[in-house]
Amino acid sequence: MESATLAAIDVGSNAIRLKIVEVKSDGTVEEVYQHRAPVRLGHEVFLTGFLNDSVIESAIEAFGEFRAVIDKMKVHTTRAIATSATREAINGDNLVNRIYNSSGVKIEPISGGEEARLVQLAVTRKADIRNRVALVIDIGGGSVEFDVIDHGSIIYSNSLRLGTVRLQETFLRTDTISDLQILLLRAYMEQLLETTLDAINKYDIDIVLGTGGNVEEFGKQLGVLDPDNNEFPRDVRFVPLRDFQRFVREISRLSVGERMEQYGMAPDRADVILPAGLVLTEVVSNIIGARGLYAANVGLKDGLLAEMADRHRNSWDVTSAEAEIIKAAMALGNKYHFHVGHAKQVRYLSERLFDQLGQIHHLSSASRLLLSVAAVLHEVGGYVNPTSHHKHSYYLIRNSEIVGLNEEQIELIANIARYHRKAFPDPNKTSHFHFQRLSYTEKEQVARLAAILRIADALDYQHKSIVADLRVKIYDDAIEIDVRSFDDCLLERWHLQEKGELFVQTFGRSIRLLVNGKVAEQID
C-alpha cells in the first residue's frame, strides 16, 4: 500500500479546524499538522438567519491559509465538512461557493445524523467502549448531539439546538452575567432537554463521554486520570461531577476577561465556556448513575480522518456502515410504532427485487441502500393517521435525522416512501412539490425505486410474511416473478394488479406472477 497524506477540515460554528495525517505504507496513521482558526461562523446567524459578511471574509482568509499548508504538505485527499451555522444559514451556499472559488476546497454541509456518526467513529477509535453502553455528548457552537452507543453501535441519537454560541448570543450577551440571565437559560434548557433525558435514561448508561472544544477545556482545567478506566489513553481525562458543578458556579461569577486571566482561556473560549458548562452539568447530573464526564479529546475531524484512512487502506467496512444505517432506520420506525415484521419483510423483498432487476433499472448500490431504508420506513406515517399515511411518511422521514445519511439522501428516501402507494410521481402537479424540486436524474431514481417498493409492499399485503423468497426473469415486454410461499397469495396477487401499475409505466414491462412455479390465475 502506498502512503498518503490526508486532510480534514471541520467548519464549526465557533471555529474552523484543520488536521492533517499521514497514512504510512504499513497502515499506521500519524498526525503531522493541526491548526484552529478562531472564525466564529455562528456569530449572529442563529439570531438573524444569515452568516455575517465579515465572518465570511474571515473564513475565506482561513481557507486560503489552509490551502497553502495543504499544498506545501502535498496532501492527497482533502475533505471539509460544515455543521449547524452553515447548514442553517440562508446564505450558507454563498459561503460554500466563495470558499470553493477562492481555495478549491469543496465544503460539505452535513446533517446532525452525520455528525453523530462521525463522532461515534472518532470516540470508538479513541476509547475502548466495545463492552459498554455509553452516552456521547458532542457540544458545538450551534447544536448538541446526544448518542447512546451500545457495544459500538448507535442505538439512540438526537440533536438539540443548545450549542454554545447560540445560547451565548441569545441569553448571555453581556460581559458579566446576572442570576436572572442564568435562570432564563436554565428554564429554556431544561424544557428542551426533558424528553431527551427521559429517552436516554431508558438505557443502562455505563459511561458518559464528551467531545468538542469546550469539553477539551474542561478536561484541561478539571480532568484527572480515572483508576476505574485505566485502559483509556492518558489524554482521555475524567471530570468529576461535583468539581464540574463547582467550576461552573465559579465562572458564572466572573467576567469574560476574568475567565481569561484566571484560567488562561482564549477569548473565543472564555465567552462560551459558561453555556457549555451549564448544559453539560445539567445533562450529566440527570443521567442515572453518572459520576462525571470523560473528555474524549477527539472531534468530528478525527472521525472523518478515520473513515478517510480506512478507505485509503481499503479497510472501510461498507457492509457494517450500511448495517448501522438500517439500525438507525429501525430505531426511527420504533419511535413511530411501525409494524416491525412488515418493515423487515418489505425490505427483504425490495432488496431481492432490486438485485435481480439490475439489467433494467441500471441503479447503483447507493440506490439499493435508499430503497432499503425507504422499505423499512414506508408506513411510519400511520403513526399520524392511517389515511394518507404515505404523505405523512414523507414529512416524518424528511424531518428526521438518520445516522449515516445526509439531507439529500433523506429527501430521496422520503420521496420513495411517499410514492409507495396511491398517486404516481408527477412533476406537473403542484401538490407534488417535493418531487418537482428534484433533479431529472433524481426523479428517475425515485420513480424506479418506488415502483420496486410497491411490488414488495403488495407481496406482503397481509403483513404476515407469507412470501419466503422470489425469483425474477426479465423478458422484452414483461418480468416474471415466481414467489415461494405456503399460501396461494390470493390477496397479494389482487393487490399487485393495482400496485404494479407504476412499474409497468416506468419500465414498460408488464408483471406476471407465479406462485411456487405455477402461473397465478388473473383476478378480475
Side-chain angles (χ1 to χ4, degrees):
M1 181 189 74
E2 292 185 1
S3 62
T5 307
L6 310 174
I9 303 172
D10 173 9
V11 186
S13 300
N14 193 45
I16 304 175
R17 299 169 177 84
L18 166 67
K19 186 172 182 178
I20 301 176
V21 301
E22 181 183 0
V23 182
K24 298 182 179 295
S25 57
D26 63 359
T28 58
V29 179
E30 179 182 332
E31 179 185 325
V32 295
Y33 182 84
Q34 187 163 193
H35 181 68
R36 177 183 185 273
V39 179
R40 182 170 287 178
L41 282 172
H43 175 55
E44 294 185 350
V45 75
F46 304 121
L47 301 176
T48 67
F50 289 89
L51 292 166
N52 183 286
D53 289 341
S54 63
V55 172
I56 291 177
E57 294 300 329
S58 297
I60 292 170
E61 183 180 344
F63 266 84
E65 295 171 359
F66 289 173
R67 177 83 261 177
V69 174
I70 287 166
D71 291 342
K72 181 179 179 181
M73 293 193 168
K74 296 181 171 57
V75 171
H76 294 75
T77 306
T78 300
R79 283 189 64 190
I81 54 174
T83 54
S84 53
T86 306
R87 184 170 66 232
E88 295 180 30
I90 295 168
N91 59 339
D93 287 345
N94 181 34
L95 172 74
V96 171
N97 293 333
R98 290 190 62 187
I99 285 178
Y100 179 71
N101 291 335
S102 63
S103 69
V105 178
K106 181 68 173 177
I107 296 175
E108 309 164 38
I110 62 172
S111 65
E114 180 67 355
E115 285 188 57
R117 184 186 71 85
L118 291 174
V119 167
Q120 174 241 7
L121 185 56
V123 170
T124 53
R125 295 292 177 92
K126 183 64 176 284
D128 185 2
I129 55 173
R130 287 173 296 179
N131 298 314
R132 316 288 288 270
V133 180
L135 169 63
V136 177
I137 309 166
D138 178 47
I139 183 163
S143 63
V144 182
E145 315 300 326
F146 299 90
D147 306 313
V148 177
I149 301 176
D150 185 1
H151 295 75
S153 295
I154 297 176
I155 58 173
Y156 172 84
S157 182
N158 194 26
S159 177
L160 295 178
R161 294 184 173 185
L162 287 172
T164 58
V165 175
R166 190 190 300 269
L167 296 182
Q168 188 268 334
E169 294 197 348
T170 304
F171 295 97
L172 308 175
R173 295 180 71 90
T174 56
D175 187 47
T176 55
I177 307 303
S178 69
D179 291 341
L180 179 59
Q181 285 173 290
I182 292 179
L183 188 65
L184 286 170
L185 172 52
R186 284 192 182 280
Y188 174 79
M189 179 177 64
E190 289 169 3
Q191 183 182 33
L192 260 65
L193 283 169
E194 183 179 4
T195 302
T196 297
L197 288 171
D198 287 345
I200 291 169
N201 276 318
K202 291 178 181 177
Y203 305 97
D204 295 324
I205 304 296
D206 295 326
I207 189 170
V208 182
L209 300 102
T211 63
N214 287 289
V215 175
E216 291 175 16
E217 185 68 39
F218 290 126
K220 173 184 170 184
Q221 298 288 346
L222 304 168
V224 297
L225 291 174
D226 184 9
D228 291 342
N229 288 286
N230 53 21
E231 74 276 13
F232 285 176
R234 292 184 65 83
D235 62 340
V236 176
R237 294 292 178 125
F238 180 65
V239 180
L241 179 57
R242 288 186 179 180
D243 294 345
F244 202 174
Q245 291 170 323
R246 172 189 52 76
F247 184 77
V248 172
R249 286 195 297 270
E250 288 178 4
I251 62 174
S252 71
R253 293 192 287 265
L254 302 176
S255 67
V256 172
E258 289 169 334
R259 293 174 206 162
M260 293 167 57
E261 182 179 350
Q262 291 191 30
Y263 296 106
M265 296 181 189
D268 66 337
R269 180 66 61 213
D271 61 346
V272 293
I273 196 75
L274 178 56
L278 290 168
V279 171
L280 289 168
T281 52
E282 177 69 20
V283 172
V284 177
S285 65
N286 280 283
I287 298 301
I288 297 170
R291 300 181 297 116
L293 173 78
Y294 289 85
N297 205 28
V298 289
L300 284 175
K301 62 187 183 304
D302 301 288
L304 183 58
L305 283 167
E307 178 179 336
M308 292 169 69
D310 279 0
R311 290 187 184 277
H312 175 73
R313 292 180 297 218
N314 292 319
S315 61
W316 180 249
D317 189 346
V318 175
T319 302
S320 178
E322 290 184 354
E324 292 297 320
I325 292 171
I326 296 299
K327 282 183 185 178
M330 292 295 291
L332 181 62
N334 281 318
K335 177 180 178 181
Y336 294 117
H337 305 292
F338 73 158
H339 191 296
V340 178
H342 179 61
K344 289 181 176 179
Q345 176 71 354
V346 173
R347 176 194 161 205
Y348 168 70
L349 296 175
S350 294
E351 291 173 348
R352 293 288 290 142
L353 288 164
F354 182 94
D355 293 343
Q356 296 177 67
L357 290 168
Q359 73 182 70
I360 62 172
H361 65 57
H362 307 297
L363 297 172
S364 67
S365 58
S367 295
R368 185 182 191 271
L369 177 61
L370 300 182
L371 175 62
S372 298
V373 177
V376 168
L377 297 174
H378 70 285
E379 286 194 345
V380 293
Y383 178 81
V384 178
N385 194 327
T387 303
S388 298
H389 70 264
H390 53 297
K391 297 178 182 178
H392 303 312
S393 290
Y394 170 82
Y395 65 74
L396 287 180
I397 296 169
R398 182 64 188 88
N399 291 287
S400 297
E401 290 183 345
I402 301 172
V403 174
L405 297 175
N406 60 37
E407 289 193 9
E408 290 76 15
Q409 290 170 309
I410 291 173
E411 176 69 49
L412 292 174
I413 290 164
N415 270 278
I416 297 163
R418 159 67 177 82
Y419 292 112
H420 84 272
R421 67 192 292 267
K422 296 295 183 179
F424 293 179
D426 188 346
N428 298 314
K429 286 187 177 180
T430 56
S431 60
H432 292 214
F433 61 89
H434 45 80
F435 185 71
Q436 286 178 331
R437 63 191 176 204
L438 300 178
S439 68
Y440 174 80
T441 301
E442 289 171 336
K443 289 186 180 80
E444 286 290 303
Q445 185 181 21
V446 166
R448 293 175 190 183
L449 294 176
I452 294 171
L453 177 57
R454 286 186 181 218
I455 295 175
D457 190 36
L459 293 176
D460 194 45
Y461 179 70
Q462 299 179 70
H463 291 204
K464 293 180 179 179
S465 301
I466 64 173
V467 174
D469 197 8
L470 57 82
R471 293 285 187 273
V472 179
K473 290 182 180 179
I474 301 173
Y475 300 97
D476 290 341
D477 61 349
I479 65 165
E480 184 178 271
I481 304 173
D482 185 0
V483 301
R484 184 162 57 85
S485 177
F486 59 83
D487 192 273
D488 63 5
C489 299
L490 181 64
L491 289 174
E492 282 68 27
R493 287 154 44 201
W494 170 70
H495 202 50
L496 181 61
Q497 290 181 189
E498 174 199 344
K499 298 203 72 172
E501 285 302 313
L502 178 58
F503 185 93
V504 175
Q505 175 180 296
T506 302
F507 292 99
R509 287 173 168 85
S510 62
I511 303 170
R512 292 197 293 266
L513 184 67
L514 280 65
V515 179
N516 299 321
K518 297 178 180 179
V519 178
E521 184 180 345
Q522 182 76 15
I523 302 171
D524 296 325

